[in-house]
Amino acid sequence: MTKIRLLFACYLILLTPVLGLADTCRQLTGTVLDVATRQPVVAKLFLLTATGRIAAGQSSATGMFSVPVPCEATSLIVERTGYKEQSLSLTNASLTAQASGANTVVFVTVPLVPNNRPTGVRPLLAEEFSQLVPTTMTDKRQRTLFFLTDVYTNLPLQARTCFYYTKADWTNCLDPDVIGRFEMAYAEKDELTVKINAPNYYPYEGKLTIDGDNRRTRQDYRLLRDLVIASVQVKGGFRGEQFRCELRPAEGPGIVLTPGTNDWSSTFEVMPQSYRLFITDSQRQIRHQQVVTLTNGLNTVVVNLAPAAQTARPAPTAEVVIPELKPTEYIPPIYFLQSSYQLIPESEAVLRQLAKFMQKNPQFRLRAIGHTDNVGDERLNQALSEYRGIVTVNYLRRLGVPEGRMTSTGKGSREPLVPNDTEENRIKNRRVALNLEKQ
């Protein structure tokens, strides 16, 4: 009898957070991931209400979780030692499904940022030396290439960076180029205070030690902001029909949402801005599109497609099969439309196969080298080629390839694969070359 009472008491303790909730408005289910490695993270979950925090369990070894959310909850809090506390606002109702209740299940992917993620320094790689100003290549002073990016999307940022020198007692403020990059040289040893400010981002302040030697280094600053998550549910269509959800901004690459449960797809690689949502079927037919405006926190969109009876059943087609990659074989480049760095479906298919290979073969690293044709201003072509490399690496990173095993660079139109004398040849030059190397 004593054992039964103890078991019953333990059962009540485990259920206390759930039993203490008021009316449940929805069920949040999803995964917790490391933003850098895309590996699952075991983390504690809390719900924030007007009366304080409510313990809501933790994610599993695979990062999965499921949490009933009371109507008065304003935020989901995710904590793990070694990571920055993550807060997802739940108060945005502008895009929430009209139907609500305990049976409303919303899928989300929640990223955690390691404590050391916002900054990182390392020696320049061989392929990165070409990004230094040519006249400084033989400079005896220490030189550093700085890169500013968004911590969630890894896309370049425009943010003024100020360096406060200790010995010289002066300040040097710099603005990056279109890919978030700038270069600095140092005359002597010093301890600098670095301050970075950008609209809608948390200010960064940290220290930078200058050794005064002639090293060539790369310094990355990844700025933090409030988390934005877009979750889309597609209803309708034929039973078992799969849909692809993509958010496209007015400028920049589109974001393909990660499929989840209950016909939901989700992504955290978005900004608080307007996008056009495209939903396509397995035949690459656009079944629905609309403009959505995302704000900080969780944004949910429910799309009801035409009933199956009103839609002709698509004829089955053979699936495109990409041969299994081998390290000794040539990896075909991926191609882009003119003046675009948007991945096309054929390129995504190649990158999915490449991601599988890299996950099975951790001894290899990748160099993604962007190229353009010779149409237009070469400065713009250089930036476009670098963006194509960045987008390629970001897509592979979303598929689980560790960021530390990939680098990207751009060559503009300087290294055409074929002469730019016909449109057919120019198409071949709008590419990203994919080079595998053993670590």
Side-chain angles (χ1 to χ4, degrees), residues 297-418:
L298 175 61
N299 302 264
T300 59
V301 183
V302 176
V303 175
N304 292 289
L305 297 180
Q310 301 176 15
T311 307
R313 181 178 294 275
T317 59
E319 183 180 356
V320 177
V321 177
I322 305 296
E324 184 176 353
L325 296 176
K326 298 179 182 178
T328 57
E329 294 180 349
Y330 168 73
I331 302 176
I334 58 174
Y335 297 99
F336 297 79
L337 300 179
Q338 185 175 21
S339 303
S340 171
Y341 48 91
Q342 182 86 36
L343 289 173
I344 60 177
E346 291 79 7
S347 298
E348 292 179 353
V350 173
L351 294 179
R352 285 194 295 270
Q353 186 63 49
L354 178 57
K356 292 178 182 177
F357 172 83
M358 294 192 69
Q359 289 169 339
K360 294 179 181 178
N361 298 272
Q363 71 274 27
F364 285 93
R365 60 180 295 114
L366 175 74
R367 286 197 303 134
I369 307 172
H371 301 270
T372 70
D373 57 27
N374 66 346
V375 177
D377 186 276
E378 181 55 30
R379 292 178 303 165
L380 297 179
N381 284 339
Q382 177 62 35
L384 177 60
S385 68
E386 293 175 353
Y387 265 115
R388 286 173 174 172
I390 291 171
V391 167
T392 300
V393 167
N394 280 351
Y395 187 84
L396 291 168
R397 185 169 58 91
R398 288 199 294 268
L399 295 177
V401 180
E403 182 180 335
R405 293 173 55 202
M406 300 183 290
T407 59
S408 67
T409 187
K411 298 292 186 179
S413 63
R414 298 189 302 276
E415 298 182 7
L417 191 64
V418 293

Side-chain angles (χ1 to χ4, degrees), residues 91-229:
T91 58
N92 173 34
S94 60
L95 296 176
T96 301
Q98 293 180 354
S100 64
N103 294 327
T104 302
V105 180
V106 179
F107 175 80
V108 295
T109 304
V110 181
L112 288 187
V113 180
N115 286 334
N116 61 353
R117 176 66 178 167
T119 182
V121 61
R122 61 168 172 78
L124 280 183
L125 301 176
E127 59 267 23
E128 295 174 325
F129 271 81
S130 61
Q131 300 185 52
L132 291 169
V133 177
T135 56
T136 67
M137 292 292 287
T138 58
D139 196 319
K140 299 299 183 182
R141 297 176 298 173
Q142 179 178 340
R143 305 198 72 86
T144 300
L145 277 176
F146 292 88
F147 289 84
L148 307 180
T149 54
D150 180 283
V151 73
Y152 298 122
T153 67
N154 211 36
L155 291 175
L157 286 181
Q158 301 297 306
R160 168 151 289 201
T161 305
C162 292
F163 299 86
Y164 298 83
Y165 290 75
T166 301
K167 289 185 177 181
D169 191 24
W170 72 294
T171 302
N172 184 20
C173 293
L174 297 171
D175 294 312
D177 61 16
V178 293
I179 64 166
R181 173 189 60 191
F182 61 89
E183 181 182 343
M184 273 188 60
Y186 317 99
E188 59 178 344
K189 293 183 178 181
D190 206 339
E191 185 81 13
L192 278 60
T193 297
V194 183
K195 295 183 179 181
I196 308 175
N197 288 282
N200 302 317
Y201 285 84
Y202 297 119
Y204 171 84
E205 181 173 341
K207 296 294 184 181
L208 179 63
T209 300
I210 306 304
D211 297 321
D213 53 23
N214 63 349
R215 290 186 303 158
R216 302 295 188 260
T217 58
R218 170 176 174 144
Q219 181 82 36
D220 285 277
Y221 289 110
R222 304 173 182 90
L223 298 194
L224 288 162
R225 56 177 169 81
D226 288 334
L227 181 61
V228 180
I229 289 182

